[in-house]
């Protein structure tokens, strides 16, 4: 069974509460919360206040994806604001410190790889993260085209012996999601496809049915 994390980057910010209700009522497994600083990526998104308000209102799993030049300064505030899992990029400054702090706070650790970063770069880590987030677009914007080469990166992570969860983010739909699940991915992030879907509950049902065939 594959899981779906709906990305609120694609939601209508004037109706955020309705967007989260839709995510929950359609049976999504997590809320993917993208944080962008305008430096690590050429876009600015949401900060801790939105997460705090959202987590106070909704009982959901908050999967926080930090696209920050130096995420180590922001771990505590996102933890206090309700993150369940925090993902930092291997390409950002002080990521080892950030990972250490996420662990100390008892949250799940995610590590993300931009498209050009090879799976082998994970070998620089002292301990394996709970989740590896494979970016299948250049981080920064929703609605971009999926990079099919990233299916191979998922398979490589499994060949390397990585046994934690693998999440894939960017341009994911039901078609490439099936191939990603077969290659070993567990969690599919969907922004545009989820919010543009005419029947989100059916989309979630179909994602939950995708098989997993780890290499
Ligand atoms: C991009 C973000 C994604 C984005 C995915 O940098 O990390 O989470 O919301 O959106 P879609 O599914 O529209 O590609
Ligand atoms: Zn993301």
């Amino acid at each position: 069974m594959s899981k779906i994390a709906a990305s609120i980057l694609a939601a209508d910010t004037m109706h955020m509460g309705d967007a989260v209700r839709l995510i929950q009522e359609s049976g999504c497994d997590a809320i993917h919360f993208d944080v962008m600083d305008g430096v690590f990526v050429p876009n600015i998104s949401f900060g801790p206040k939105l997460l705090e308000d959202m987590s106070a209102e909704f009982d959901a799993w908050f999967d926080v994806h930090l696209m920050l030049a130096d995420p180590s300064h922001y771990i505590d505030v996102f933890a206090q604001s309700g993150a369940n899992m925090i993902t930092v990029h291997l390409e950002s400054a002080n990521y080892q410190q950030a990972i250490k702090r996420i662990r100390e706070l008892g949250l799940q650790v995610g590590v993300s790889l931009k498209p050009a970063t090879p799976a082998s770069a994970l070998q620089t880590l002292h301990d394996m993260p709970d989740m590896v987030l494979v970016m299948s677009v250049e981080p920064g914007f929703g609605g971009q085209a999926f990079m099919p080469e990233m299916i191979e990166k998922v398979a490589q992570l499994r060949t390397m012996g990585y046994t934690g969860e693998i999440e894939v983010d960017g341009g994911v739909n039901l078609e490439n999601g099936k191939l990603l699940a077969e290659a070993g991915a567990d969690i599919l992030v969907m922004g545009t496809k989820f919010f543009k879907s005419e029947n989100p509950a059916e989309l979630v049902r179909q994602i939950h049915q995708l098989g997993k065939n780890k290499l």
Side-chain angles (χ1 to χ4, degrees):
M1 177 188 134
S2 298
K3 294 192 238 178
I4 171 170
S7 174
I8 51 144
L9 191 66
D12 177 351
T13 51
M14 290 296 103
H15 300 277
M16 216 33 132
D18 293 342
V20 178
R21 259 182 293 280
L22 179 69
I23 291 172
Q24 292 212 296
E25 283 165 10
S26 57
C28 290
D29 304 281
I31 296 176
H32 186 83
F33 192 98
D34 285 312
V35 183
M36 305 179 182
D37 65 356
V39 177
F40 185 75
V41 290
N43 195 8
I44 297 175
S45 61
F46 316 117
K49 172 73 161 62
L50 180 63
L51 180 62
E52 190 185 344
D53 292 350
M54 224 177 237
S55 65
E57 181 84 13
F58 296 100
D59 183 20
W61 178 266
F62 288 96
D63 158 28
V64 176
H65 177 194
L66 297 183
M67 286 161 273
L68 304 177
D70 185 346
S72 66
H73 302 299
Y74 295 93
I75 303 304
D76 284 62
V77 70
F78 280 101
Q80 283 155 15
S81 302
N84 297 96
M85 165 179 275
I86 299 182
T87 297
V88 295
H89 270 265
L90 206 61
E91 305 85 2
S92 58
N94 300 319
Y95 66 86
Q96 301 272 24
Q97 254 171 272
I99 292 169
K100 189 165 163 277
R101 189 64 186 145
I102 300 167
R103 282 246 183 269
E104 279 170 6
L105 293 168
L107 303 184
Q108 295 223 340
V109 173
V111 169
S112 183
L113 307 175
K114 285 165 80 170
T117 305
S120 60
L122 280 180
Q123 285 155 359
T124 61
L125 296 175
H126 306 309
D127 68 312
M128 278 300 122
D130 300 296
M131 185 194 80
V132 173
L133 173 57
V134 173
M135 287 307 302
S136 43
V137 297
E138 282 305 330
F141 299 91
Q144 303 182 74
F146 178 79
M147 297 175 167
E149 316 87 87
M150 296 305 124
I151 298 169
E152 183 54 29
K153 194 189 274 187
V154 171
Q156 277 170 10
L157 285 164
R158 292 304 180 204
T159 309
M160 278 166 50
Y162 176 68
T163 54
E165 288 198 299
I166 299 179
E167 182 175 56
V168 184
D169 184 10
V172 177
N173 57 34
L174 207 49
E175 290 69 42
N176 57 39
K178 181 173 186 296
L179 302 174
L180 289 164
E182 284 167 6
D186 307 282
I187 310 165
L188 305 175
V189 176
M190 278 192 197
T192 309
K193 285 290 165 203
F194 177 80
F195 283 103
K196 290 231 155 81
S197 169
E198 281 175 15
N199 190 344
E202 175 59 15
L203 175 66
V204 173
R205 196 191 63 79
Q206 287 178 310
I207 290 165
H208 283 165
Q209 281 184 342
L210 294 178
K212 200 166 72 170
N213 177 22
K214 286 189 185 176
L215 294 175

